Amino acid sequence: MDLKNQPVPEGSHLLEVDDLKMYFHTQDGVVKAVDGVSYNLDRGETLGVVGESGSGKSVTAMTIMGLIDMPPGKIEGGDVRYRGLSLFEMTEKQMQDIRGNDIAMVFQDPMTSLNPVYTIGRQLGEGLRLHRGYSKEQATKRAIELLDMVGIPNPEQRVKDYPHQFSGGMRQRVMIAMALACDPDILIADEPTTALDVTIQAQIIELMQEMQEKNGNAIIMITHDLGVVADVADKIMVMYAGRPVEFGTADEIFYNPVHPYTWGLVRSIPEALVDEKKPLTPIKGNPPSLVNVPKGCSFSPRCPYATDRCRNERPDTYTTETGHYSRCHYSMDPEFVAKNAPTNSRRRAEENGAADAVAGKGGEA
Amino acid sequence: MDKNTDMPIYAVDEKSGAQGGPVNQGSPEPETTAAAKPTRTLWSDAWGRLRKNKLAMIGAIWIIFIVIVALTCDLWAPQWLGSPTQIDSSQMSELSKLPPSAEHPFGTDALGRDVLCRVIYGSRISLSVGILATAISTVIGLVMGALAAYYGGIWDTIIMRLADIFLAFPYTLFVIVLIAVLGQSITNVFIAIGLLGWPSIARVFRSAILSVKENDYVDAARAMGASDARIVIRHIFPNSVASIVVYATMNIGGAILTESALSYLGMGVTPPTPSWGIMIEDGQTYLATQPWLMLFPGLAIITTVLAFTLLGDGLRDALDVKMKDA
């Protein structure tokens, strides 16, 4: 069964995550690692998932891939549909066919994500041999093409090398080539640039975009750095304590954020403005324990604008007509937003299209 | 920095080793690209390191020497030194307990047999016990360790508690009891030592797997759609087998010692088959007057066991990826 060649059924999206809840049952209690995440994704789109460590970004991705050990993990609700088919109803064998072939993943640390005992070529070819039944020779030939595609010089030679003979940036290129080997519909990149030098980060992001233009795959880019997704994401989901707190197009999140947590993230992006030196504004405090999420809004203990209502009453999802939603009691109050939203995000809105600097990386608006 | 660096996308990678990023976020330092180095495998790397280890090489050479002697002794030993088992009753009194000489380099034993010849033939028993018993323990240990580590939970508990029970028994006594039950023969010595050796191998392999299992490349393989069996065979096994190679090598020495102890106690091979343990047992009566009867088989045991230990030590260093020096 090759799902990729089947059309997406009418009325569904390529990937639909619907109120997904993944809890871990541990000795200390129930960890609500993912608590009601929903989004849709179509081919060619890029979704940025942003949040601090432990906000449930990676667990969401691992749940979609079916890579969470159960127990201790347990899906407490919701569904993930790929081309209209529920991934949770698939057998392990069917999931094995989907992994790597339809949905592939790039991991955070390229230094440890390659098996040290096999050549680069053999590892690149593994997916092709698993999913496409390639022979060893065919796989090696394709591996050389893939290495060339991701910009590794001298691929005929390098295909025989071992991972320890590659630098971190090159290994991440290899990881991307590996993930793209079977031409997957969806590429999940879990903090693909976090372990890399800043100079390499931009290249890796660019490479992924380039590959996306060629193959038309969707990308889910998981990161803790709003700056990383600034240029590449079509939609951005900001997660906090296992829940999405704000979701919108990249423009909406950057130029018109309405959730105080997003404001905090925007304020903590370093800006490369030359003549203006101003300190970064950190978000004070730490994320809550996922065993004991605060009663009201989970961000209320750290939110400078929190009221008694925030502390006691869990906010609903407030959605605008464009689909931009936020989980904050006051996000629909224009006065509150206008007064407290970071000036840099509003200034960006005003200078929209000008050569502003998002995350010190510059970029087209 | 402008987003659209017009450089070819691989250019900075090549230089990153020299320049580094403006901010190196504590990331692993970029290794220099290795295009100039000849392609080498982990095993050839390991061999390169092993070769530099003098003690390990001495051990290896000694083991190879003993193996060659054990394999070929039928071709030359009897012509030179006579039979290791036959007793020439007519000449027994003249040949008994002769001190080492040109004709009998290690002397002769109480029944007039050449000690060197018996030491040579004894190597066959010792080596085969060492290797076969270790092979049996290793196979059982690998399967048990893999099951315990990979499936965890109840499997882990059952297997590891079983291993604990095995380890709680006095080892030599357990082997003796097992041989008494199975019947005394050289095959049963293999089996007894082999059956009882698995718990420590299972433990070593289990912990090796548990640490390898945590590696990102195992997750990456699962994310590529590899099955459980494929992950164990292709990804976990090759990365944890180094510790087993080391442990098994040392275990051979241990098995040789156990066989010697069994033979010494009269539970091993049956006379007149020569075994180093039996020879020591035979010779102990004459320790004060004819020490060579005990000395030479004793030396054979010590050197061989030591050789296996040295080689095992050397292998551990050679196979340790972290010690990669080039």
Side-chain angles (χ1 to χ4, degrees), chain B residues 37-52:
Chain B
K37 276 193 288 182
T39 302
R40 290 187 307 197
T41 68
L42 285 186
W43 294 106
S44 72
D45 268 355
W47 168 238
R49 281 192 295 272
L50 185 64
R51 223 169 29 180
K52 283 186 213 141

Side-chain angles (χ1 to χ4, degrees), chain B residues 38-122:
Chain B
T39 302
R40 290 187 307 197
T41 68
L42 285 186
W43 294 106
S44 72
D45 268 355
W47 168 238
R49 281 192 295 272
L50 185 64
R51 223 169 29 180
K52 283 186 213 141
N53 185 336
K54 285 203 186 74
L55 282 175
M57 288 318 286
I58 292 172
I61 289 166
W62 181 248
I63 291 165
I64 291 167
F65 173 72
I66 301 262
V67 168
I68 290 172
V69 165
L71 287 176
T72 61
C73 57
D74 270 341
L75 300 175
W76 47 268
Q79 290 85 332
W80 176 29
L81 301 162
S83 162
T85 50
Q86 292 295 310
I87 302 158
D88 187 347
S89 40
S90 58
Q91 288 179 291
M92 204 167 88
S93 51
E94 296 100 88
L95 287 175
S96 178
K97 293 179 272 180
L98 290 177
S101 65
E103 203 182 338
H104 299 289
F106 286 4
T108 59
D109 69 2
L111 299 174
R113 294 168 298 195
D114 185 89
V115 173
L116 175 58
C117 188
R118 283 177 66 77
V119 168
I120 286 171
Y121 275 86

Side-chain angles (χ1 to χ4, degrees), chain A residues 36-53:
Chain A
V37 170
S38 306
Y39 57 78
N40 298 322
L41 195 65
D42 287 306
R43 270 186 79 83
E45 273 187 337
T46 301
L47 170 75
V49 180
V50 184
E52 283 165 274
S53 310

Side-chain angles (χ1 to χ4, degrees), chain A residues 96 99-100 111-113 115-118 122 126 131 151 160-162 164 170-171 173 195 197 200 203 361, chain B residues 3 9-10 12-13 21 27-28 31 39-42 216-217 220 222-225 230 234-235 238-239:
Chain A
Q96 279 171 15
R99 286 185 208 129
M111 305 311 281
T112 57
S113 299
N115 190 332
V117 304
Y118 294 121
R122 194 159 161 189
E126 180 161 19
H131 298 296
K160 290 178 235 152
D161 280 355
Y162 283 80
H164 71 264
M170 293 194 135
R171 288 192 206 190
R173 286 173 191 275
D197 281 358
I200 316 291
Q203 293 177 22
K361 268 210 246 143
Chain B
K3 172 178 166 275
I9 44 179
Y10 50 81
V12 181
D13 244 1
S27 63
E31 289 168 43
T39 302
R40 290 187 307 197
T41 68
L42 285 186
D216 287 349
Y217 53 77
R222 281 182 78 198
M224 276 315 288
R230 191 182 175 91
R234 293 284 305 272
H235 293 280
N239 283 291

